Amino acid sequence: MKAVCWQGIHEVGVEEVPDPHLINPRDAIIKVTSTAICGSDLHLYDGYIPGMYRGDILGHEFMGEVVEVGEGVGNLAVGDRVVVPFPIACGNCFFCSRELYSLCENSNPNAHLAEKLWGHSPAGLFGYSHMLGGYAGGQAQYVRVPFADIGPLKVPAALSDEQVLFLSDILPTGYMAAENCNIQAGDTVAVWGCGPVGQFAIKSALLMGAERVIAIDRFPERLRMAQHSGAITLDYESLDVQEALKDLTAGRGPDACIDAVGMEAHMPGIHGAYDRVKTTLRLETDRPGVLRQAIMACRNGGTLSVPGVYGGVIDKVPFGAIVNRAITVRSGQTHCHRYMRPLLERIEKGEIEATSIITHRISLDDVPGAYQMFRDKQDQCVKVVVQPWQ
Ligand code: NAD
Ligand code: ZN
Ligand code: ZN
């Protein structure tokens, strides 16, 4: 089969690789009908996540048709159409039974690698480094799905792939980011980053009753999309974000701040230069410019929600502000399994529209170029959907 493989920093290629096979009784093999490139994939592309080997198959947002099921998968049959959550979860462990699926303690066979970096290991993820399990990803024609009796969600024939594909990651991710803000009537929520995750965080915050959402980015097409969803927008290159947020909130700051940017924030000026130098010298692993800004902006007693991915150790995070101003911080890889069914119902009822963020539809062969386009935000790219059989 054909698959998109990581070949090194800023190098991905389409390779001919062996088809996957059932290994465990709870596996299923999915023929991938649609997959997508995520902002998280860019962290692999840019070399920010350790534990990638040449030839690793990328991709964690995918859906398709069940073509083989193991004998332990009672709820799926060949021919079913399913969307698959990006964390791999057993459904039975301490964490899964608490619906903390991205922390499943049975799905990362390389837990010892993650423990070295983070103290404890989270769940394994599709296509996301050997540190997180070394699972082949879904930017491919076929993929093996472990614990297939727990993760994949059957989707009604009436809904198109594009309507449901993002249940695999970015829709639940934006939703959980907003849910983590504990939004109360009258709240103002500020969202850094108007990529796919930011867009769904904005929509979700408004659905949850936020009075105002303030969206921050620099790309006009992304800001326009946010505005279309009902957000007030700020172009961080043309104003002082802290001052603008104070002006909009009577000097107090937003009730909740969402960092939907993560470890590769673009920061003009001296602050950005500091992180660029320190990451180059490997004295810091990530560029946390947005995290710092969001902490400083948040109102006293407010909430900071961080769906943006960070990988390692960062500098000059104003932790004193968190303690002295009683800020609650919430984060995590998304517990997708928890949100997929309720969000599918909202899609069916027309309460959530997921397809309008798609700007590019391509074949597998065009994926290498699309990584660069998406990374550099060329051609007004917001979200790339890939059809592996085109
Ligand atoms: P993306 O690259 O499309 O979007 C990031 C956006 O941040 C871009 O629009 C960029 O212009 C903007 N940005 C950069 N610097 C900024 C700054 N200083 N101020 C404001 N905006 C700034 O990526 P995405 O797909 O939307 O993903 C966003 C983040 O969410 C990534 O870190 C990704 O890894 C993470 N993510 C996390 C989960 C999870 O489970 N927690 C799931 C999916 C994605
Ligand atoms: Zn993702
Ligand atoms: Zn588990």
Side-chain angles (χ1 to χ4, degrees), residues 22-364:
L22 298 175
I23 297 176
N24 297 307
R26 290 172 70 190
D27 288 350
I29 304 295
I30 310 289
K31 178 180 176 183
V32 180
T33 53
S34 294
T35 176
I37 308 177
C38 178
S40 299
D41 293 324
L42 297 178
H43 307 320
L44 306 173
Y45 185 70
D46 290 337
Y48 277 75
I49 305 283
M52 289 301 292
Y53 302 159
R54 186 175 286 270
D56 284 348
I57 301 175
L58 293 165
H60 58 269
E61 299 180 357
F62 59 91
M63 63 177 296
E65 186 191 325
V66 176
V67 291
E68 252 186 287
V69 284
E71 60 196 23
V73 184
N75 57 333
L76 291 182
V78 170
D80 284 347
R81 184 161 161 259
V82 293
V83 56
V84 180
F86 76 93
I88 300 171
C90 78
N92 304 318
C93 71
F94 176 92
F95 294 102
C96 286
S97 59
R98 286 161 177 75
E99 296 195 308
L100 301 170
Y101 297 100
S102 73
L103 303 174
C104 174
E105 57 193 357
N106 283 328
S107 63
N108 185 2
N110 299 328
H112 63 285
L113 297 177
E115 283 163 7
K116 271 201 199 106
L117 189 60
W118 296 327
H120 300 270
S121 175
L125 308 180
F126 287 103
Y128 218 73
S129 86
H130 289 265
M131 185 175 69
L132 293 176
Y135 292 98
Q139 287 166 8
Q141 290 181 315
Y142 294 98
V143 60
R144 179 179 72 94
V145 174
F147 303 122
D149 52 327
I150 295 298
L153 176 72
K154 284 191 229 178
V155 289
L159 296 175
S160 67
D161 274 24
E162 291 187 356
Q163 282 177 293
V164 294
L165 172 63
F166 302 142
L167 289 169
S168 58
D169 178 351
I170 50 173
L171 173 52
T173 295
Y175 192 86
M176 183 168 116
E179 192 180 73
N180 277 343
C181 293
N182 186 26
I183 293 169
Q184 308 293 311
D187 275 2
T188 295
V189 179
V191 180
W192 276 256
C194 297
V197 171
Q199 299 292 342
F200 284 125
I202 292 163
K203 287 177 196 270
S204 303
L206 289 167
L207 261 178
M208 289 172 200
E211 186 169 302
R212 278 189 312 178
V213 174
I214 304 168
I216 305 155
D217 206 301
R218 71 179 160 132
F219 293 102
E221 62 277 9
R222 292 176 175 230
L223 290 169
R224 265 198 308 276
M225 226 179 236
Q227 205 167 25
H228 190 255
S229 296
I232 301 166
T233 56
L234 301 178
D235 173 354
Y236 68 82
E237 283 193 316
S238 68
L239 45 72
D240 181 321
V241 172
Q242 298 294 2
E243 288 306 315
L245 289 174
K246 278 188 189 161
D247 288 349
L248 286 164
T249 56
R252 207 177 282 139
D255 302 287
C257 292
I258 298 179
D259 171 357
V261 178
M263 62 169 85
E264 295 186 69
H266 164 260
M267 271 288 145
I270 183 81
H271 295 291
Y274 175 89
D275 290 316
R276 283 195 300 278
V277 170
K278 293 222 48 169
T279 50
T280 306
L281 296 174
R282 300 199 173 276
L283 294 169
E284 185 181 39
T285 59
D286 309 4
R287 306 198 305 260
V290 162
L291 188 71
R292 296 186 194 113
Q293 215 171 62
I295 292 170
M296 295 305 271
C298 191
R299 77 148 162 81
N300 289 359
T303 302
L304 170 66
S305 164
V306 187
V309 165
Y310 289 87
V313 289
I314 50 181
D315 270 27
K316 298 206 182 304
V317 170
F319 206 80
I322 292 176
V323 175
N324 292 285
R325 303 201 293 105
I327 294 169
T328 300
V329 181
R330 305 198 66 186
S331 189
Q333 296 281 4
T334 304
H335 307 301
C336 273
H337 302 55
R338 196 204 285 175
Y339 299 99
M340 290 170 81
R341 192 176 295 279
L343 288 174
L344 174 66
E345 283 165 15
R346 281 180 178 260
I347 291 171
E348 282 183 294
K349 286 189 208 146
E351 292 171 10
I352 294 177
E353 197 288 310
T355 62
S356 57
I357 64 163
I358 303 171
T359 51
H360 292 75
R361 295 165 175 88
I362 62 170
S363 69
L364 217 46

